[in-house]
Amino acid sequence: MAIRPALPSESPARPTTAARPRPPRHGLARWIGQLSISRKLAAMVLANCLIVVSLLVVVIVGLRTTDAVRSYVYGEGLWSKAQKSAIYHLNRYTLTADPEDFAKYEAA
């Protein structure tokens, strides 16, 4: 017995698949499913607005933190320069005993 090729008009038999029953929805999924499309759209817009606002808050807090750290580092640099100047004038005062150097040391 020879196997003949299928004709184009003959479609191969497809197994029938019964629709799978959907699991019951509980809680939030059921509540969202019952909303109208306009309310779903409004909820999505509100959620996106909340995300944008929270990101803006994070950016503002980050910029203020960066500004505070920059100010601290600037103040630390000024303190370091003043300390260096004070030591320089104190060393000069010990070598020369010039009262002007001591006054500059106290001013620094």
Side-chain angles (χ1 to χ4, degrees):
M1 177 165 161
I3 299 177
R4 67 176 179 86
L7 298 174
S9 62
E10 298 175 358
S11 63
R14 292 187 181 178
T16 58
T17 57
R20 285 185 276 165
R22 292 175 60 177
R25 295 189 295 185
H26 300 287
L28 184 63
R30 178 185 293 172
W31 181 75
I32 290 175
Q34 293 173 351
L35 289 176
S36 66
I37 192 73
S38 60
R39 294 216 178 201
K40 288 178 187 175
L41 179 63
M44 291 300 294
V45 169
L46 180 64
N48 284 323
C49 287
L50 288 174
I51 290 170
V52 168
V53 167
S54 65
L55 287 175
L56 284 174
V57 167
V58 168
V59 167
I60 289 170
V61 168
L63 287 175
R64 289 197 178 190
T65 303
T66 302
D67 190 40
V69 170
R70 190 175 344 128
S71 298
Y72 176 78
V73 169
Y74 178 74
E76 193 175 55
L78 288 179
W79 180 82
S80 175
K81 287 176 187 175
Q83 185 181 24
K84 182 179 178 181
S85 175
I87 295 298
Y88 172 75
H89 289 296
L90 186 61
N91 280 337
R92 277 193 60 157
Y93 175 71
T94 58
L95 295 174
T96 62
D98 185 10
E100 185 177 324
D101 285 324
F102 190 74
K104 287 180 182 178
Y105 159 73
E106 286 182 333

